[in-house]
Amino acid sequence: MPSLVSQSKSALKGQIKVPGDKSVSHRSLMLSALAVGESRISGLLEGEDVLATADAMRAMGAKIEKLECGDWVVNGVGVGSLLQPDDIIDMGNSGTSCRLLMGLMASHDITVTVTGDASLRGRPMKRVITPLSEVGAEFTARDEIYLPITIKGTDTPMPIDYTTPMASAQVKSAVMLAGLNTPGITTVREKISTRDHTERMLTAMGAKVTTTEENGYYVIRLEGQPELKPISLEVPGDISSSAFLLVAASIIPGSDILIENVGLNPLRTGVVDALKAMGADITVENPRELGGEPVGDLRVRYAQLKAVTELPVDPSTMIDEFPVVFCAAAVAEGTSRFMGLEELRVKESDRLSAMAEGLKANGVELKEFDDGIEIIGNAGKVPGGAQVKTFLDHRIAMSFAILGQMAEAPITVDDAAPIQTSFPTFVELLTGLGAGMTV
Ligand code: S3P
C-alpha cells in the first residue's frame, strides 16, 4: 500500500483544471454504448471507476476506444441489444458502475455475475434489487443483499412506478436505465431531488424524459425504447474533485487559485454554498453551458472559516463532499454540526466513523452521532501527527491529505491507492499549486 505524507509547504497559487466529472463520465459511456452510431467524448475521467464501466460495456458488446488525441469513441449497440458477457464482471470500487449497470442488465435477456473489491462487496445492494425485481429481473446475492450477485435479466420487463426510499441518484438511475429497454412509461418519485445527469443526457440524446413536482415529490417519467442519438460531449470538470481544492485554498493562508471548467449542476454545488456559509471566499467566473450541464470557473482565496450548524442546502447536493468539509470544520472557529447524514455510512466506507477516527487521531475533538457529527474547530492548525486509515475510500484519503496542510505535525494516509478511482492527478495537481505531499 503506497502511503501519503501531507504537510504544508506554501500557500496554493495557480490556475488548474480537475479531471472530468465521474457521474457524467459513467453515464456518457453507458448511454453512448446504447446509441445507434458513433459518439465522441472528450475530457472523460480516466479513473479506475470509469474504466470499470468501460470494461463492463465492452463485455456487453459496445466498442469503446481511446484515440491518440485523448478523446474517446464509442460505437453503440442500440437500446435493447446488450449481449451476454462471457465472464463475471468486476466493478472494482465503483458503486455507480455496479448499481447503474444492474439497471441496464435487468431489462435484457442476459445472466451476469457481478462482483467488486472488498469495499463494494460490503455495500448494500437491496436498494437496487428491490425495484429491479419489480421490473422482472431475478437476483441471487450473497446474504441476499451483497455482491457477488448473479442477475438474470428479463425479456419481458415491466414499466414500474417506484418511489425511492432514500435520496439516491444511483437508485433513480438504475430504475431509469432498466426503463430504457422497457415498453411504456417508467416512473421514479423522489422526496428529495438528486443529481439529474441521467435525465439531462437522455434528453440530449433524444429520449422523452419529463420531471414534474407532484404532491411534494419530484416525479421523473421516461418513455421506454427510444432510439438514442449518438453524442459529442465534453465532460465538465468534477465539482466533487474540485471540493478538495476549494477547501485547501480556503484553509491555507495566502492561497488564491482558479479552477477552470467545473460542472456546476445545481444538484451538485451544495459544497460551494456550505463553504460560503462558513465564510469561504469563492466566486463563480465565466458561467456557461457545456453538453447540457452548467459550468464555470471557480476562484478561491484564503479566508478564516467559521463554524456552521445549519447547512443552507440539502445534504444530497454535497453528499460526497462531507469528508473534506469536516476537515474545513476542524480548522474553523467554533463548533460545527452536520446532521441527516445516515447515507454517509454506506459509501465506499462508513464515512462518519472513518472521518471521526482519523480526525480524533489527529487531535480534533468531536462527537459522532448515528446520522451526523459535531466538530470542535481549532481556529487554525490541528495537532496532526497521526496515521489515518482510508478503508479503501478515495475521499477519506484525499480529505486527510488536505487536512495535513493545516496540521502542526504531518498527517500520514495509510493507503493512497484508492485516489486512483476518481482523481488520478490529485497529488500532482496539489503539489503543482504549492502543497506539500509525498507518496
Ligand atoms: C452517484 C450518486 C451518489 C454519489 C456517487 C455517485 C451517481 O451515490 O455518492 O459518488 O453518479 O449517481 P448515491 O446514489 O448512493 O447517493
Side-chain angles (χ1 to χ4, degrees):
M1 291 199 302
S3 60
L4 181 155
V5 179
S6 171
Q7 189 170 37
S8 183
K9 226 170 84 192
S10 58
L12 304 190
K13 301 260 180 193
Q15 194 164 330
I16 44 133
K17 273 189 178 162
V18 294
D21 187 272
K22 183 157 73 70
S23 294
V24 173
S25 294
H26 280 299
R27 288 160 174 80
S28 70
L29 291 176
M30 293 175 191
L31 296 182
S32 55
L34 297 176
V36 178
E38 187 173 286
S39 293
R40 194 169 171 131
I41 306 160
S42 64
L44 185 84
L45 168 64
E46 294 175 12
E48 287 168 358
D49 279 12
V50 175
L51 299 178
T53 288
D55 284 343
M57 294 313 294
R58 283 190 191 108
M60 292 189 284
K63 259 185 75 189
I64 302 178
E65 279 165 18
K66 185 180 176 181
L67 303 177
E68 262 178 34
C69 65
D71 288 358
W72 288 70
V73 166
V74 181
N75 279 283
V77 293
V79 167
S81 303
L82 290 180
L83 302 178
Q84 168 69 48
D86 61 11
D87 200 353
I88 63 166
I89 294 187
D90 187 343
M91 307 289 188
N93 190 253
S94 180
T96 308
S97 313
C98 182
R99 295 189 176 125
L100 270 60
L101 290 179
M102 286 208 274
L104 278 184
M105 292 162 185
S107 55
H108 281 78
D109 186 14
I110 56 179
T111 300
V112 191
T113 299
V114 175
T115 191
D117 72 3
S119 153
L120 192 56
R121 291 197 308 274
R123 297 182 67 185
M125 294 298 155
K126 194 169 167 47
R127 54 182 61 199
V128 286
I129 292 175
T130 301
L132 297 177
S133 300
E134 282 183 34
V135 171
E138 288 169 29
F139 293 83
T140 312
R142 179 173 56 92
D143 293 340
E144 304 199 346
I145 52 168
Y146 295 117
L147 298 180
I149 289 178
T150 298
I151 167 169
K152 187 174 179 311
T154 173
D155 59 358
T156 51
M158 294 293 292
I160 62 169
D161 184 330
Y162 190 68
T163 302
T164 55
M166 73 291 287
S168 167
Q170 291 180 353
V171 174
K172 169 177 65 176
S173 299
V175 174
M176 290 181 71
L177 293 188
L180 269 182
N181 191 36
T182 300
I185 308 280
T186 291
T187 306
V188 185
R189 295 171 199 265
E190 297 192 289
K191 188 78 198 151
I192 288 162
S193 59
T194 59
R195 65 188 71 192
D196 59 358
H197 307 299
T198 308
E199 293 91 308
R200 284 172 184 259
M201 205 178 287
L202 279 172
T203 303
M205 296 174 81
K208 288 209 179 91
V209 182
T210 59
T211 304
T212 53
E213 252 189 271
E214 294 172 23
N215 307 321
Y217 283 81
Y218 296 91
V219 184
I220 302 111
R221 292 190 174 85
L222 165 71
E223 206 175 296
Q225 300 183 316
E227 180 169 312
L228 296 181
K229 291 183 295 207
I231 36 167
S232 177
L233 179 75
E234 190 180 334
V235 179
D238 199 327
I239 180 84
S240 299
S241 298
S242 305
F244 298 102
L245 294 150
L246 296 179
V247 170
S250 297
I251 64 176
I252 305 171
S255 297
D256 183 354
I257 65 169
L258 184 75
I259 318 169
E260 292 176 305
N261 209 36
V262 182
L264 297 175
N265 180 314
L267 295 168
R268 295 284 301 280
T269 48
V271 65
V272 174
D273 300 311
L275 289 171
K276 278 189 179 170
M278 297 174 79
D281 179 357
I282 303 174
T283 47
V284 177
E285 297 181 1
N286 195 13
R288 56 201 183 274
E289 213 181 275
L290 194 66
E293 294 277 348
V295 298
D297 305 332
L298 294 176
R299 180 87 189 243
V300 201
R301 297 183 183 88
Y302 165 78
Q304 174 57 55
L305 300 184
K306 22 182 219 323
V308 67
T309 46
E310 292 276 334
L311 285 176
V313 292
D314 191 89
S316 70
T317 61
M318 52 179 290
I319 195 68
D320 290 332
E321 289 69 73
F322 280 102
V324 77
V325 170
F326 296 166
C327 295
V331 302
E333 268 170 28
T335 300
S336 295
R337 237 177 119 92
F338 304 96
M339 303 302 285
L341 303 182
E342 58 282 350
E343 275 294 301
L344 290 196
R345 296 213 180 266
V346 291
K347 293 294 179 187
E348 285 82 328
S349 68
D350 175 341
R351 288 184 173 157
L352 283 176
S353 82
M355 286 305 299
E357 189 179 318
L359 286 170
K360 268 194 229 154
N362 284 287
V364 179
E365 283 181 54
L366 57 87
K367 262 193 231 149
E368 185 184 339
F369 305 100
D370 283 349
D371 69 336
I373 193 165
E374 188 175 282
I375 297 171
I376 302 180
N378 273 53
K381 289 192 170 180
V382 302
Q387 168 154 316
V388 297
K389 282 198 226 133
T390 53
F391 303 99
L392 288 177
D393 188 334
H394 52 139
R395 300 201 200 280
I396 301 298
M398 291 186 276
S399 297
F400 283 107
I402 297 301
L403 187 63
Q405 302 300 299
M406 280 298 285
E408 301 288 355
I411 291 181
T412 304
V413 169
D414 70 341
D415 184 10
I419 296 173
Q420 297 302 319
T421 61
S422 70
F423 196 169
T425 54
F426 173 77
V427 173
E428 187 188 317
L429 272 184
L430 271 138
T431 51
L433 291 170
M437 284 181 199
T438 43
V439 178

PDB file of all heavy atoms in Angstrom, residues 118-131:
ATOM      1  N   ALA A 118     -13.272  -5.287  -1.865  1.00  0.00           N
ATOM      2  CA  ALA A 118     -13.802  -5.541  -0.516  1.00  0.00           C
ATOM      3  C   ALA A 118     -14.757  -4.431  -0.085  1.00  0.00           C
ATOM      4  O   ALA A 118     -15.754  -4.696   0.607  1.00  0.00           O
ATOM      5  CB  ALA A 118     -12.649  -5.671   0.474  1.00  0.00           C
ATOM      6  N   SER A 119     -14.490  -3.194  -0.498  1.00  0.00           N
ATOM      7  CA  SER A 119     -15.385  -2.090  -0.136  1.00  0.00           C
ATOM      8  C   SER A 119     -16.749  -2.273  -0.809  1.00  0.00           C
ATOM      9  O   SER A 119     -17.793  -2.264  -0.140  1.00  0.00           O
ATOM     10  CB  SER A 119     -14.744  -0.759  -0.559  1.00  0.00           C
ATOM     11  OG  SER A 119     -15.704   0.227  -0.823  1.00  0.00           O
ATOM     12  N   LEU A 120     -16.753  -2.516  -2.113  1.00  0.00           N
ATOM     13  CA  LEU A 120     -18.019  -2.652  -2.849  1.00  0.00           C
ATOM     14  C   LEU A 120     -18.789  -3.899  -2.405  1.00  0.00           C
ATOM     15  O   LEU A 120     -20.023  -3.886  -2.345  1.00  0.00           O
ATOM     16  CB  LEU A 120     -17.742  -2.681  -4.358  1.00  0.00           C
ATOM     17  CG  LEU A 120     -18.945  -2.533  -5.294  1.00  0.00           C
ATOM     18  CD1 LEU A 120     -19.728  -1.252  -5.019  1.00  0.00           C
ATOM     19  CD2 LEU A 120     -18.512  -2.555  -6.754  1.00  0.00           C
ATOM     20  N   ARG A 121     -18.043  -4.960  -2.049  1.00  0.00           N
ATOM     21  CA  ARG A 121     -18.728  -6.185  -1.603  1.00  0.00           C
ATOM     22  C   ARG A 121     -19.413  -5.978  -0.253  1.00  0.00           C
ATOM     23  O   ARG A 121     -20.260  -6.769   0.145  1.00  0.00           O
ATOM     24  CB  ARG A 121     -17.751  -7.368  -1.538  1.00  0.00           C
ATOM     25  CG  ARG A 121     -17.271  -7.839  -2.903  1.00  0.00           C
ATOM     26  CD  ARG A 121     -16.647  -9.233  -2.841  1.00  0.00           C
ATOM     27  NE  ARG A 121     -15.620  -9.371  -1.832  1.00  0.00           N
ATOM     28  CZ  ARG A 121     -14.329  -9.076  -1.963  1.00  0.00           C
ATOM     29  NH1 ARG A 121     -13.882  -8.625  -3.121  1.00  0.00           N
ATOM     30  NH2 ARG A 121     -13.486  -9.245  -0.968  1.00  0.00           N
ATOM     31  N   GLY A 122     -19.069  -4.893   0.448  1.00  0.00           N
ATOM     32  CA  GLY A 122     -19.704  -4.616   1.744  1.00  0.00           C
ATOM     33  C   GLY A 122     -20.829  -3.596   1.635  1.00  0.00           C
ATOM     34  O   GLY A 122     -21.408  -3.196   2.649  1.00  0.00           O
ATOM     35  N   ARG A 123     -21.147  -3.144   0.429  1.00  0.00           N
ATOM     36  CA  ARG A 123     -22.164  -2.090   0.300  1.00  0.00           C
ATOM     37  C   ARG A 123     -23.535  -2.678  -0.042  1.00  0.00           C
ATOM     38  O   ARG A 123     -23.640  -3.660  -0.763  1.00  0.00           O
ATOM     39  CB  ARG A 123     -21.727  -1.074  -0.771  1.00  0.00           C
ATOM     40  CG  ARG A 123     -20.450  -0.381  -0.341  1.00  0.00           C
ATOM     41  CD  ARG A 123     -20.006   0.656  -1.334  1.00  0.00           C
ATOM     42  NE  ARG A 123     -20.935   1.771  -1.392  1.00  0.00           N
ATOM     43  CZ  ARG A 123     -20.826   2.773  -2.268  1.00  0.00           C
ATOM     44  NH1 ARG A 123     -19.841   2.762  -3.161  1.00  0.00           N
ATOM     45  NH2 ARG A 123     -21.682   3.768  -2.255  1.00  0.00           N
ATOM     46  N   PRO A 124     -24.600  -2.058   0.509  1.00  0.00           N
ATOM     47  CA  PRO A 124     -25.946  -2.634   0.356  1.00  0.00           C
ATOM     48  C   PRO A 124     -26.461  -2.542  -1.078  1.00  0.00           C
ATOM     49  O   PRO A 124     -26.402  -1.488  -1.701  1.00  0.00           O
ATOM     50  CB  PRO A 124     -26.806  -1.766   1.277  1.00  0.00           C
ATOM     51  CG  PRO A 124     -26.072  -0.473   1.392  1.00  0.00           C
ATOM     52  CD  PRO A 124     -24.615  -0.804   1.279  1.00  0.00           C
ATOM     53  N   MET A 125     -26.955  -3.661  -1.602  1.00  0.00           N
ATOM     54  CA  MET A 125     -27.476  -3.689  -2.967  1.00  0.00           C
ATOM     55  C   MET A 125     -28.989  -3.904  -2.998  1.00  0.00           C
ATOM     56  O   MET A 125     -29.598  -3.873  -4.063  1.00  0.00           O
ATOM     57  CB  MET A 125     -26.771  -4.788  -3.779  1.00  0.00           C
ATOM     58  CG  MET A 125     -25.304  -4.516  -4.006  1.00  0.00           C
ATOM     59  SD  MET A 125     -25.043  -3.007  -4.973  1.00  0.00           S
ATOM     60  CE  MET A 125     -23.390  -2.548  -4.458  1.00  0.00           C
ATOM     61  N   LYS A 126     -29.576  -4.113  -1.808  1.00  0.00           N
ATOM     62  CA  LYS A 126     -31.030  -4.316  -1.746  1.00  0.00           C
ATOM     63  C   LYS A 126     -31.760  -3.124  -2.376  1.00  0.00           C
ATOM     64  O   LYS A 126     -32.800  -3.275  -3.005  1.00  0.00           O
ATOM     65  CB  LYS A 126     -31.453  -4.481  -0.286  1.00  0.00           C
ATOM     66  CG  LYS A 126     -32.844  -5.011  -0.111  1.00  0.00           C
ATOM     67  CD  LYS A 126     -33.048  -5.392   1.339  1.00  0.00           C
ATOM     68  CE  LYS A 126     -34.459  -5.641   1.745  1.00  0.00           C
ATOM     69  NZ  LYS A 126     -35.296  -6.421   0.992  1.00  0.00           N
ATOM     70  N   ARG A 127     -31.169  -1.943  -2.236  1.00  0.00           N
ATOM     71  CA  ARG A 127     -31.801  -0.733  -2.773  1.00  0.00           C
ATOM     72  C   ARG A 127     -32.011  -0.786  -4.292  1.00  0.00           C
ATOM     73  O   ARG A 127     -32.882  -0.095  -4.797  1.00  0.00           O
ATOM     74  CB  ARG A 127     -31.004   0.509  -2.352  1.00  0.00           C
ATOM     75  CG  ARG A 127     -29.543   0.434  -2.718  1.00  0.00           C
ATOM     76  CD  ARG A 127     -28.753   1.648  -2.250  1.00  0.00           C
ATOM     77  NE  ARG A 127     -28.775   1.827  -0.800  1.00  0.00           N
ATOM     78  CZ  ARG A 127     -28.483   2.980  -0.188  1.00  0.00           C
ATOM     79  NH1 ARG A 127     -28.125   4.030  -0.894  1.00  0.00           N
ATOM     80  NH2 ARG A 127     -28.525   3.066   1.116  1.00  0.00           N
ATOM     81  N   VAL A 128     -31.197  -1.579  -5.006  1.00  0.00           N
ATOM     82  CA  VAL A 128     -31.494  -1.759  -6.448  1.00  0.00           C
ATOM     83  C   VAL A 128     -32.188  -3.096  -6.718  1.00  0.00           C
ATOM     84  O   VAL A 128     -32.985  -3.208  -7.650  1.00  0.00           O
ATOM     85  CB  VAL A 128     -30.245  -1.600  -7.356  1.00  0.00           C
ATOM     86  CG1 VAL A 128     -29.846  -0.132  -7.480  1.00  0.00           C
ATOM     87  CG2 VAL A 128     -29.080  -2.437  -6.905  1.00  0.00           C
ATOM     88  N   ILE A 129     -31.898  -4.101  -5.876  1.00  0.00           N
ATOM     89  CA  ILE A 129     -32.543  -5.413  -6.082  1.00  0.00           C
ATOM     90  C   ILE A 129     -34.071  -5.265  -5.984  1.00  0.00           C
ATOM     91  O   ILE A 129     -34.816  -5.828  -6.798  1.00  0.00           O
ATOM     92  CB  ILE A 129     -32.029  -6.443  -5.041  1.00  0.00           C
ATOM     93  CG1 ILE A 129     -30.544  -6.759  -5.308  1.00  0.00           C
ATOM     94  CG2 ILE A 129     -32.874  -7.714  -5.069  1.00  0.00           C
ATOM     95  CD1 ILE A 129     -29.908  -7.679  -4.279  1.00  0.00           C
ATOM     96  N   THR A 130     -34.543  -4.471  -5.013  1.00  0.00           N
ATOM     97  CA  THR A 130     -35.992  -4.341  -4.804  1.00  0.00           C
ATOM     98  C   THR A 130     -36.700  -3.790  -6.053  1.00  0.00           C
ATOM     99  O   THR A 130     -37.571  -4.458  -6.617  1.00  0.00           O
ATOM    100  CB  THR A 130     -36.290  -3.488  -3.545  1.00  0.00           C
ATOM    101  OG1 THR A 130     -35.667  -4.142  -2.442  1.00  0.00           O
ATOM    102  CG2 THR A 130     -37.774  -3.315  -3.295  1.00  0.00           C
ATOM    103  N   PRO A 131     -36.328  -2.598  -6.552  1.00  0.00           N
ATOM    104  CA  PRO A 131     -37.067  -2.122  -7.738  1.00  0.00           C
ATOM    105  C   PRO A 131     -36.804  -2.957  -8.991  1.00  0.00           C
ATOM    106  O   PRO A 131     -37.719  -3.166  -9.797  1.00  0.00           O
ATOM    107  CB  PRO A 131     -36.561  -0.682  -7.923  1.00  0.00           C
ATOM    108  CG  PRO A 131     -35.261  -0.612  -7.198  1.00  0.00           C
ATOM    109  CD  PRO A 131     -35.374  -1.586  -6.065  1.00  0.00           C
TER     110      PRO A 131
END
